[in-house]
């Protein structure tokens, strides 16, 4: 009985060695394949490739508000995006100004985005009928101070495009 147990242990020992060597050979085979066919390498050499790295099209890096060359955005301060946001990551602070027709109208004062709370669900972008916000592919969000993750998306001095008023 004791002899049988010893033989079984020795068998397991060599079996584990065999598994280890087989696993090593499988890994070496993959490495060798990529060495002779570098075009098939899928691993990204980050951060060395920072300048050329492109994320996939549907990647959600952070919310942004595009502005044109006249520093105009499409936001009408309607607040739909903030209402849709499930965790209060958006604050639309509006102001009232007098329009050319003398009537009071609402305009965007500050569009505050809390990147630190955003779950990248995309509901805000879907809710915006003006197409005023979108996701950029920026993914490097490491900061020393969390306050830096609270961002104003409308640029200083920007206005709404006349067509979206
Ligand atoms: S992506 Fe989702 S969580 Fe982030 S701001 Fe938009 S609605 Fe809120
Ligand atoms: S970003 Fe779009 S949905 Fe949000 S307040 Fe501006 S216009 Fe309205």
């Amino acid at each position: 009985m004791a002899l049988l147990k010893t033989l079984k242990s020795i068998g397991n020992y060599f079996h584990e060695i065999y598994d280890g060597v087989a696993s090593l050979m499988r890994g070496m085979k993959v490495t060798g394949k990529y060495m002779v066919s570098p075009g098939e390498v899928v691993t990204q050499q980050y951060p060395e490739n920072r300048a050329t790295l492109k994320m996939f099209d549907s990647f959600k890096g952070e919310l942004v508000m595009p502005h044109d060359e006249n520093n105009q955005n499409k936001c009408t301060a309607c607040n739909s995006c903030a209402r849709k946001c499930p965790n209060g990551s958006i604050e639309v602070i509006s102001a009232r100004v007098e329009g050319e027709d003398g009537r009071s109208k609402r305009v965007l004062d500050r569009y505050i985005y809390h990147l630190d709370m955003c779950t990248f669900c995309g509901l805000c972008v879907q809710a915006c009928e003006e197409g005023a916000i979108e996701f950029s592919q920026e993914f490097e969000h490491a900061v020393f101070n969390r306050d830096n993750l609270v961002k104003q998306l409308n640029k200083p001095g920007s206005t709404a495009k006349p067509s979206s008023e």
Side-chain angles (χ1 to χ4, degrees):
M1 198 65 181
L3 178 64
L4 205 63
K5 203 171 174 184
T6 305
L7 286 175
K8 198 174 173 189
S9 298
I10 293 173
N12 284 343
Y13 175 74
F14 283 106
H15 186 68
E16 282 176 16
I17 291 178
Y18 172 80
D19 278 350
V21 172
S23 172
L24 178 67
M25 295 310 291
R26 280 199 298 275
M28 293 301 289
K29 188 178 165 192
V30 173
T31 304
K33 183 181 160 202
Y34 285 142
M35 280 180 75
V36 296
S37 313
E40 293 181 25
V41 174
V42 292
T43 306
Q44 297 281 338
Q45 298 300 313
Y46 178 80
E48 290 82 359
N49 65 344
R50 201 179 249 144
T52 55
L53 180 61
K54 185 180 184 310
M55 305 301 284
F56 48 95
D57 289 343
S58 58
F59 178 76
K60 295 184 179 79
E62 68 174 286
L63 197 64
V64 293
M65 179 176 285
H67 290 63
D68 65 13
E69 62 283 1
N70 298 317
N71 200 22
Q72 291 183 318
N73 57 62
K74 296 180 183 173
C75 183
T76 60
C78 69
N79 208 39
S80 295
C81 52
R83 277 198 300 270
K84 278 284 179 183
C85 181
N87 48 24
S89 301
I90 296 171
E91 294 174 72
V92 179
I93 301 168
S94 60
R96 295 210 77 89
V97 298
E98 190 175 304
E100 288 176 2
D101 56 3
R103 296 171 63 179
S104 168
K105 66 172 185 176
R106 183 176 53 198
V107 295
L108 180 64
D109 182 17
R110 285 181 294 142
Y111 190 101
I112 308 298
Y113 170 51
H114 295 261
L115 172 58
D116 54 337
M117 299 198 298
C118 180
T119 56
F120 309 100
C121 64
L123 290 175
C124 50
V125 175
Q126 284 176 24
C128 182
E129 293 181 359
E130 305 294 335
I133 47 176
E134 62 186 32
F135 280 100
S136 76
Q137 296 208 330
E138 177 58 52
F139 62 89
E140 293 180 319
H141 299 313
V143 289
F144 286 106
N145 185 343
R146 253 185 104 157
D147 291 347
N148 294 336
L149 296 175
V150 180
K151 307 184 178 204
Q152 179 173 329
L153 301 195
N154 60 314
K155 292 182 182 174
S158 61
T159 54
K161 285 186 179 182
S163 57
S164 61
E165 286 178 357

